[in-house]
Amino acid sequence: MRHLGRAEALRRQLARKPPPPAADALLTTALALAWQEEGAPYEPFTLVDQAVEAAKRGKETRAQQGFINACLRRFLREREALVAATEADPVARWNHPQWWIARLQHDHPQDWEQVLEVNNTPAPMTLRVNTHRISREPLQQLLAAQHIDSEPVGLHGLILDRPHPVDAIPGFADGLWSVQDAGAQLAAQLLLEGLPLDAPLRILDACAAPGGKTAHLCELARHARVLALDVDPVRCERIHQNLQRLDLQAEVRAADAGEPAAWWDGEPFDAILLDAPCTASGVVRRHPDVRWLRRASDVAQLAAQQKRLLTALWPLLKPGGTLVYCTCSVFRAEGAQQIEAFLAHNSSALLRPGPGHFLPRDRAHPEGVRDNEPRDHDGFYYAVVQKSARHAPATRPEA
């Protein structure tokens, strides 16, 4: 998936007319694995041999084994020239759809190339320390004793030197830590900044599954009454499981956050976290298929859903309360433009200092994208919006 654009461009060089879908998938997969000698998982001739062997064994590809063999052997003979012939194709060069590249160029004219480069690198495994169970330094020592090296990131994070199965990392079953990207760990911190954490705050985590941000809120504000919503009952069960492992308490409810009449009891919230559904354009390092599955039209459709949620939840916030709007997207239509429009139509909303568009970064770019801390993390948008203290409180809508 990380090299699909280049692989499809190479296949077009080798065969102008695509073979049947199953053979095309097999050939393209082999090209994606073989096009770069450096970093290839296998020797080129091993890849060719095994791709042909796979074609022989597949009912839908058996008739194409000779074609696949010929294409791949030609590729090995003419690799340099074929790769050079695809270099002018931006989809091949950047391994992203053309519409995605164009949107990044428009939204981030100074940083788009670096964002695309980072997107094509694997993301790190980052832990969030449960500070009510253990502090960061002892956990780091516990990991080191099992030959798992790590380095601190943010207030509560540890970036591992390489990914490991969670069951192989000490402390998972005991709730000492959770897996959470360093960028995602900012959500709870931003929402709770300046609030009295020893008070019984009433907090809403809208669109909460799988529960990482819910758990972080509970860890930081142990006396808070947290309501976690998600529209999917199956995903709500994931929230329950995460909270149980960490020995945390929150009310979890399956409901559409955009329809408060069905679930809100009329008591306003001190703070609301809206982690809105989005294109996930900031997390393609972890989900490289996302870029190929999304369509340009998805951006406007999801932006409309984000607007619906913002409009529905804003009246539920107490005067003087804080709402953090976030998406794991780097597109301005799902971030800055969404909040600019919201502020223009809500005189009671005051924008507070916040990260804004928090673009992805990897360790190969230490100077990196502006306004980011020098560590590996995904791309997000964060806006911290406070409601004017003079605004009249909301009343419960009629069902």
Side-chain angles (χ1 to χ4, degrees), residues 68-104:
I68 291 172
N69 183 48
C71 285
L72 291 176
R73 292 192 178 280
R74 181 191 164 196
F75 172 72
L76 294 186
R77 293 193 306 269
E78 304 175 24
R79 179 205 301 267
E80 188 173 338
L82 288 167
V83 170
T86 63
E87 194 66 24
D89 180 353
V91 176
R93 167 70 178 85
W94 297 108
N95 285 292
H96 285 70
Q98 181 58 53
W99 70 266
W100 191 300
I101 297 170
R103 184 172 282 271
L104 279 179

Side-chain angles (χ1 to χ4, degrees), residues 201-258:
L201 300 169
R202 181 165 161 82
I203 300 174
L204 171 65
D205 184 4
C207 313
K213 296 180 179 69
T214 303
H216 199 192
L217 288 168
C218 294
E219 290 168 4
L220 297 179
R222 295 287 286 193
H223 301 288
R225 293 177 294 150
V226 178
L227 171 60
L229 296 182
D230 199 88
V231 72
D232 186 346
V234 175
R235 285 168 59 81
C236 283
E237 184 57 33
R238 291 279 307 279
I239 303 175
H240 280 296
Q241 292 169 359
N242 278 318
L243 292 174
Q244 183 177 17
R245 180 179 63 83
L246 297 165
D247 192 25
L248 299 169
Q249 299 293 324
E251 181 183 357
V252 180
R253 193 178 301 176
D256 181 353

Side-chain angles (χ1 to χ4, degrees), residues 18 39 49 63 90 159 166 183 194 208 228 237 319 329 332 364 370 373 375:
D49 176 74
I159 296 181
V166 292
E237 184 57 33
S329 175
R332 288 179 59 83
R370 299 183 309 279
E373 58 178 287
R375 292 289 188 273

Side-chain angles (χ1 to χ4, degrees), residues 104 107-108 110-112 114-115 118-119 282 329-331 355-362 368-373 375-381:
L104 279 179
D107 286 358
H108 305 287
Q110 296 182 15
D111 302 315
W112 66 272
Q114 185 167 298
V115 171
V118 172
N119 281 353
S329 175
V330 295
F331 297 150
H357 280 285
F358 195 69
L359 301 176
R361 163 179 294 184
D362 67 3
V369 179
R370 299 183 309 279
D371 300 326
N372 286 356
E373 58 178 287
R375 292 289 188 273
D376 268 9
H377 53 71
D378 294 337
F380 287 86
Y381 175 80

Side-chain angles (χ1 to χ4, degrees), residues 23 49 59-60 75 78 100 106 140 145 159 174 195 198 215 243 273 277 294 311 326-327 338 350 353 367:
D49 176 74
K59 181 179 179 181
E60 296 181 338
F75 172 72
E78 304 175 24
W100 191 300
H106 178 270
Q140 195 172 17
I159 296 181
D174 297 325
L195 295 179
D198 56 349
L243 292 174
L273 174 61
R294 289 293 184 200
T311 301
C326 65
T327 61
Q338 185 73 256
L350 308 171
E367 299 304 320

Side-chain angles (χ1 to χ4, degrees), residues 340-371:
E340 287 166 5
F342 177 77
L343 294 171
H345 291 88
N346 290 275
S347 59
S348 63
L350 308 171
L351 185 64
R352 296 305 186 194
H357 280 285
F358 195 69
L359 301 176
R361 163 179 294 184
D362 67 3
R363 302 183 198 196
H365 299 83
E367 299 304 320
V369 179
R370 299 183 309 279
D371 300 326

